[in-house]
Structures are given as structure tokens and as C-alpha cells.
């Protein structure tokens, strides 16, 4: 145990917390081991069985005090693997359609959602194309008064979320039977309410009195999840995550974990963004990350291609209904897929450039496979990031090849 002793201050803090929960006999036992004074927590220079110097006797006290507590905590923890998570609903708002079947069939037919930007004049930008939603209505999905004030990313989010519920067969009757305290919303946004915030800055140039009083709350990324939850009356986990291109994946995994851990039975999860405005386009142009293949929008995004020249911006929302398996069975829900597991890692290398050896990607894949109980040989499809950037695609391919090189069908 000596080698695993925490730093002195941490040891003292944890031991102090533990002592409050100990009975008189346990306190006496702790006092005997730590020598009776506060100094014992910070350690005296006495040799322990390991032969190492400079390790306090508080380490011994901690080992005695922690074991019963740790066992008790572990016994109370639910077995996450016993609660299985399934997908029972899908909702989308995209340039390729606002219905899952329409969206998917257009993808299969090779139809591109990339076209010239029409929302504003971008003739002076080197990039003038994007995955822009040309027609969209919130009628029947968002209250008109709210729709006029909120950012498009929130309009997309609420619409896609309610469509996912409809797709999942969660009617008004089913909704009334749900335990609302065990239903949550976790839908993120990479950019948040950029248009609302940008408009507020322009108004501020005249006077703060001209600003939208809702500009701050409607610009925050979590407000979409919050308003949708208020609309539904869902009182379970409610927040958003913003992690750039990985936002939706983070939200889906966290939502699944809430169900696996027994904190929720139903979760709406996914992502939504509406960054196709002057400041959004200009910001990515300044990063030199966007394709400038304006003359051929449909073929501008070309991941893995030797002539790739950057990614293409897009907007829209995608939301899933995740549900605990038995809960879904009890209401007779159609099950599209089962969520098995996932992982979070970080390159800890650079803001935009991938790690030269792909360490973060490799670690994430290995951890996700372990969490899912799936072998590399079981994988037959990978949805790659594939940004069409020179370094991004190369390093991602190298990382995938290192993980699945013996399983070429996975990365075909």
C-alpha cells in the first residue's frame, strides 16, 4: 500500500472525510495507526515494509480506513452492463431532407447537400459554398413566439428532437405515462447561437437598448436542451456538450452512460449547429480550413482524395432517442440498434493538427472496443471524421490502419 499513498494534503482531506463516517471503534483504530496527531496525516519519516523513505504512516491509516468504505461503495454501484441501451427514435433537419428515410435515401443515391450560399452575400469570400438548408419551417414544432427570438441552431434542435420522439412512437398518450424524472435531454452544439450573438453585437453599436433581451441565454449551447426539456416536462439529466466536430458523439455517449448507470430510462441526444453566417464563414476561412472548389460544390468535400483542399461547412441537427432495453420492450418500441459502448480521449497535442502518431485516435478506439466488448475483427464499418484536410485525413487513416490493418473490410 505504501507505493500507492496519496500526496499528504489529499491523504489528510480524504482521511478527514472518512473519519466523519467512522464509528467510535474505527476512529480509535485510525488514531492508533496514524499516531494520534494531525502530523500523522502528513507523514513522519519512518520506514515501512516497502523500504521506501519519506512515506507517512497516514498511508497505513488510509489503507485500513478505506477498505471497508470502498467495499461498501462498490457493492452499491449498479452493474452498468446489465442495463442495455437501444436506439428507438431518430430525427433530422438537414440539407438532404428533414426525415430520416429521405435523408438516408439521398445519401445512398449520392445526392450532395452542398451548394452555393444564399443566406447572405459571400461574393467577396474565397469560399462561397456550404451545406445550407434552403427551406425549413418550425410550424407545428416550435411555438411561434419562441421561434422568432431563438437562434436557428435551437430551432433545428427542437424540431429534430420532437421528430425523433414521433419516430420513436412516443405519442402524447405514451408521454403521459413516462416517468418524467427519468427522461433527459443532452443535445450539444459546437458553435451555439452565433447569429443571435452576432446580431447583439451589431445592435450594441447603436445602443444596448437595441439588443435582444434574450441574446445571452439564446446564444448559450445548453439552452436548446433546456427549452426542449421544459416543453416536454422532462426533469432528468439536462445539459449540452460542446467539443467541436465530436460534439454529437460526446452527447450520445454521455446520454447512454446516464441510462447504463441507472440515472435515466430515456434520453434525447445528438447535436445541432447553424454557423453559416458571415462571422462563421469568415472564421473558418481565416483558419484556411475550407475547400475553395466553388465551381463544383457537389464534389468539393473529397476526403481521402489526393486533391482534397479542406472541408465544407454545413448546418442542421440530428437527434436520437436512446432507451433502456426493457423500458423500450415494455412499450413495444421499434428498436433500430443497440448502443454497446464508447470512449473519450484527447490528443493533448495541438488545437487543430492531429498527433503525428495518431495516439489519441488509437487510444480512443481501443478503449471503445474494450468498453463495448467487441473485437477489432467484429467491425465491418467505420464512420471516419474525414475532414478533407491534408494532415487530418492522412493521420486519421494511419491511425485506423494501425487499429484495423488486419481487418481491411472495416476501412474499405
Amino acid at each position: 500500500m505504501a507505493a500507492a499513498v496519496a500526496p499528504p494534503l489529499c491523504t489528510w482531506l480524504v482521511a478527514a472525510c472518512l473519519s466523519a463516517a467512522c464509528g467510535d471503534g474505527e476512529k480509535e483504530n485510525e488514531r492508533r495507526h496514524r499516531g494520534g496527531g494531525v502530523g500523522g496525516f502528513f507523514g513522519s519519516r519512518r520506514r515501512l515494509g516497502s523500504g521506501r523513505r519519506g512515506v507517512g504512516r497516514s498511508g497505513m491509516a488510509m489503507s485500513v480506513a478505506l477498505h471497508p468504505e470502498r467495499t461498501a461503495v462498490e457493492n452499491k454501484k449498479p452493474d452498468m452492463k446489465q442495463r442495455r441501451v437501444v436506439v428507438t427514435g431518430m430525427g433530422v433537419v438537414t440539407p438532404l431532407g428533414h426525415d430520416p428515410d429521405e435523408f438516408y435515401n439521398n445519401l445512398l443515391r449520392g445526392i450532395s447537400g452542398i451548394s452555393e450560399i444564399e443566406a447572405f452575400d459571400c461574393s467577396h469570400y474565397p469560399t462561397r459554398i456550404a451545406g445550407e438548408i434552403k427551406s425549413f419551417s418550425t410550424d407545428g414544432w416550435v411555438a411561434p413566439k419562441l421561434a422568432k427570438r431563438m437562434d436557428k441552431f435551437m430551432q433545428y434542435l427542437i424540431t429534430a428532437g420532437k421528430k425523433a420522439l414521433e419516430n420513436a412512437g412516443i405519442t402524447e398518450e405514451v408521454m403521459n405515462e413516462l416517468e418524467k424524472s427519468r427522461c433527459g435531454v443532452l443535445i450539444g452544439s459546437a458553435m451555439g447561437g452565433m447569429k443571435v450573438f452576432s446580431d447583439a453585437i451589431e445592435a450594441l453599436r447603436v445602443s444596448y437598448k437595441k439588443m435582444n433581451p434574450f441574446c445571452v441565454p439564446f446564444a448559450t449551447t445548453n439552452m436548446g436542451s433546456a427549452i426542449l426539456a421544459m416543453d416536454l416536462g422532462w426533469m432528468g439529466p439536462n445539459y449540452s456538450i460542446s467539443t467541436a466536430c465530436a460534439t454529437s458523439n460526446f452527447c450520445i455517449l454521455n446520454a447512454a452512460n446516464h441510462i447504463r448507470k441507472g440515472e435515466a430510462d430515456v434520453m434525447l441526444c445528438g447535436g445541432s449547429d447553424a454557423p453559416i453566417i458571415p462571422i462563421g464563414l469568415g472564421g473558418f476561412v481565416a483558419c484556411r480550413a475550407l475547400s475553395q472548389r466553388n465551381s463544383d460544390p457537389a464534389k468539393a468535400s473529397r476526403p481521402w482524395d489526393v486533391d482534397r483542399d479542406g472541408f465544407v461547412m454545413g448546418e442542421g441537427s440530428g437527434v436520437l432517442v436512446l432507451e433502456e432495453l426493457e423500458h423500450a420492450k415494455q412499450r413495444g418500441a421499434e428498436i433500430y440498434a443497440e448502443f454497446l459502448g464508447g470512449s473519450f480521449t484527447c490528443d493533448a497535442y495541438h488545437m487543430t493538427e492531429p498527433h503525428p502518431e495518431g495516439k489519441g485516435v488509437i487510444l480512443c478506439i481501443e478503449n471503445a472496443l474494450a468498453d463495448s466488448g467487441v473485437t477489432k475483427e467484429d467491425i465491418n464499418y467505420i464512420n471516419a471524421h474525414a475532414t478533407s484536410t491534408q494532415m487530418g485525413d492522412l493521420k486519421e487513416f494511419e491511425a485506423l490502419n494501425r487499429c484495423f490493418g488486419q481487418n481491411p473490410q472495416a476501412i474499405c
Side-chain angles (χ1 to χ4, degrees):
M1 287 300 298
V5 173
L9 181 59
C10 297
T11 302
W12 182 83
L13 289 172
V14 175
C17 293
L18 283 171
S19 66
C22 291
D24 291 339
E26 290 174 313
K27 287 183 178 179
E28 180 61 30
N29 186 44
E30 184 182 335
R31 281 196 294 270
R32 281 201 301 270
H33 279 282
R34 63 180 170 85
V38 174
F41 285 115
F42 287 85
S44 59
R45 292 186 175 276
R46 301 182 65 176
R47 290 182 181 271
L48 297 180
S50 65
R52 294 184 61 184
R53 296 185 64 86
V55 180
R57 294 190 65 188
S58 56
M60 295 290 288
M62 286 298 296
S63 67
V64 172
L66 271 175
H67 278 211
E69 295 293 331
R70 183 191 304 158
T71 303
V73 171
E74 288 176 350
N75 288 340
K76 292 178 182 178
K77 288 175 63 178
D79 184 353
M80 294 196 302
K81 292 298 183 182
Q82 289 182 358
R83 286 180 60 86
R84 295 167 64 183
V85 182
V86 294
V87 179
T88 57
M90 301 178 289
V92 296
V93 174
T94 79
L96 288 180
H98 305 326
D99 173 82
D101 289 333
E102 179 187 9
F103 169 71
Y104 187 58
N105 288 332
N106 282 334
L107 284 175
L108 293 180
R109 291 201 297 268
I111 296 175
S112 174
I114 311 302
S115 59
E116 293 186 3
I117 296 173
E118 298 178 3
F120 60 95
D121 180 15
C122 57
S123 57
H124 58 292
Y125 288 85
T127 294
R128 298 181 292 279
I129 56 175
E132 185 181 48
I133 294 175
K134 305 299 185 184
S135 61
F136 170 72
S137 173
T138 59
D139 291 348
W141 304 106
V142 185
K145 187 176 181 180
L146 273 177
K148 290 179 181 179
R149 295 174 172 174
M150 62 176 53
D151 193 273
K152 274 189 175 181
F153 98 91
M154 295 174 67
Q155 296 178 19
Y156 296 159
L157 181 157
I158 293 171
T159 302
K162 290 186 176 181
K163 286 187 174 185
L165 291 174
E166 183 179 73
N167 182 261
I170 299 181
T171 62
E172 185 175 351
E173 181 181 355
V174 174
M175 184 74 76
N176 291 333
E177 296 177 354
L178 293 177
E179 188 176 341
K180 304 295 178 61
S181 63
R182 297 188 59 78
C183 300
V185 183
L186 209 177
I187 305 174
S189 176
M191 310 301 289
M194 293 187 70
K195 182 65 164 59
V196 166
F197 201 75
S198 177
D199 289 347
I201 293 175
E202 291 302 314
L204 184 59
R205 296 181 189 277
V206 179
S207 169
Y208 72 90
K209 296 179 181 180
K210 299 292 184 180
M211 295 173 67
N212 177 352
F214 297 94
C215 65
V216 172
F218 281 178
T220 57
T221 59
N222 74 297
M223 194 53 63
S225 289
I227 289 180
L228 181 54
M230 286 188 285
D231 196 344
L232 301 174
W234 286 15
M235 301 173 67
N238 183 278
Y239 56 103
S240 70
I241 296 172
S242 182
T243 50
C245 306
T247 292
S248 294
N249 283 349
F250 268 78
C251 291
I252 292 169
L253 177 49
N254 271 281
N257 284 340
H258 283 301
I259 297 175
R260 295 166 79 190
K261 290 161 61 178
E263 298 168 350
D265 294 325
V266 183
M267 292 290 298
L268 278 169
C269 57
S272 181
D273 268 299
I276 305 175
I277 60 175
I279 192 172
L281 180 63
F284 281 115
V285 166
C287 289
R288 299 181 181 179
L290 298 182
S291 170
Q292 298 183 19
R293 197 172 274 108
N294 300 299
S295 60
D296 194 2
K299 297 182 180 179
S301 178
R302 46 203 308 149
W304 320 116
D305 193 284
V306 68
D307 294 323
R308 64 190 182 279
D309 70 331
F311 69 88
V312 180
M313 292 177 65
E315 63 177 353
S317 179
V319 177
L320 299 178
V321 176
L322 295 187
E323 199 166 347
E324 195 273 326
L325 177 60
E326 296 306 318
H327 187 279
K329 286 182 176 179
Q330 286 176 9
R331 69 177 188 85
E334 179 180 357
I335 295 173
Y336 293 109
E338 180 175 5
F339 180 92
L340 297 180
S343 176
F344 307 121
T345 59
C346 174
D347 262 0
Y349 177 72
H350 189 272
M351 285 190 296
T352 56
E353 293 181 15
H355 192 284
E357 298 175 15
K359 289 184 176 180
V361 177
I362 294 170
L363 180 62
C364 190
I365 291 173
E366 291 176 345
N367 290 349
L369 290 172
D371 181 57
S372 306
V374 174
T375 67
K376 295 178 181 180
E377 290 70 31
D378 293 328
I379 304 300
N380 60 13
Y381 172 76
I382 295 172
N383 194 73
H385 190 197
T387 58
S388 298
T389 55
Q390 287 296 320
M391 290 303 297
D393 282 13
L394 177 61
K395 294 307 174 184
E396 184 179 16
F397 173 77
E398 290 176 351
L400 291 174
N401 194 45
R402 285 185 60 179
C403 287
F404 300 100
Q406 302 303 314
N407 183 17
Q409 68 169 346
I411 53 178
C412 290

